[in-house]
């Protein structure tokens, strides 16, 4: 369970360390790779925790966290996978659902994570 809870942050740290990712809200990236990783880790300790739903699909944790879209997280490749948990279940497991139309417009509300979509 701990590994799944850590997955989103660890994926971001992997991109910081190996792929040059840097979130502009963290200020200027340190030139030293070790310092950049430590700075990113410090900032990521403050972001909302995401709870695993299935595989690498996540929802924000905490009281009042209903109606949020389900996010598919793979390092910094983060996309919407459902308007909310119910829609996600249909997206992932309901073969009869078919394609979504133009009205399918999820809006992430979890600070930091929404900026990476």
């Amino acid at each position: 369970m701990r590994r799944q809870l850590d997955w989103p942050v660890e994926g971001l740290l992997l991109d910081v360390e190996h792929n040059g990712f840097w979130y502009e809200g963290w200020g200027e990236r340190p030139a030293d790779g070790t310092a950049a990783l430590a700075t990113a880790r410090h900032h990521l300790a403050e972001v909302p925790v995401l709870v695993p739903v299935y595989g690498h699909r996540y929802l924000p944790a905490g009281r009042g966290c209903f109606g949020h879209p389900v996010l598919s997280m793979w390092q910094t490749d983060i996309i919407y996978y459902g308007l909310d948990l119910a829609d996600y279940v249909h997206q992932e497991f309901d073969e009869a659902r078919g394609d979504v139309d133009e009205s399918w417009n999820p809006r992430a509300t979890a600070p930091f994570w929404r900026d990476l979509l």
Side-chain angles (χ1 to χ4, degrees), residues 67-70 81-85 87-88 97 103-107:
H68 294 282
V70 173
Y81 233 75
L83 292 170
D84 55 23
L85 187 57
D87 183 59
Y88 160 73
R97 183 171 191 265
S103 67
W104 194 83
N105 191 20
R107 298 274 186 225

Side-chain angles (χ1 to χ4, degrees), residues 6 14-15 30 38-39 43 45 50 58 61 64 74 78 94 99 107 111:
D6 292 343
L14 184 71
D15 275 354
T39 301
H43 287 288
L50 297 174
Y58 286 82
W74 196 269
I78 303 171
D94 185 2
D99 293 330
R107 298 274 186 225

Side-chain angles (χ1 to χ4, degrees), residues 16-115:
V16 167
E17 184 175 18
H18 298 287
N19 298 318
F21 172 77
W22 194 253
Y23 179 64
E24 66 182 35
W26 297 340
E28 188 174 335
R29 181 187 175 107
D32 176 66
T34 302
L37 196 57
T39 301
R41 189 177 302 278
H42 170 77
H43 287 288
L44 289 168
E46 304 298 319
V47 303
V49 173
L50 297 174
V51 175
V53 174
Y54 178 76
H56 56 277
R57 313 291 194 253
Y58 286 82
L59 277 170
R63 179 177 294 170
C65 287
F66 59 88
H68 294 282
V70 173
L71 304 177
S72 177
M73 318 280 296
W74 196 269
Q75 294 169 225
T76 51
D77 182 12
I78 303 171
I79 62 171
Y80 294 110
Y81 233 75
L83 292 170
D84 55 23
L85 187 57
D87 183 59
Y88 160 73
V89 169
H90 289 294
Q91 287 272 40
E92 189 78 75
F93 303 107
D94 185 2
E95 293 178 20
R97 183 171 191 265
D99 293 330
V100 295
D101 60 26
E102 307 84 46
S103 67
W104 194 83
N105 191 20
R107 298 274 186 225
T109 57
F112 177 76
W113 300 109
R114 67 178 169 224
D115 299 340

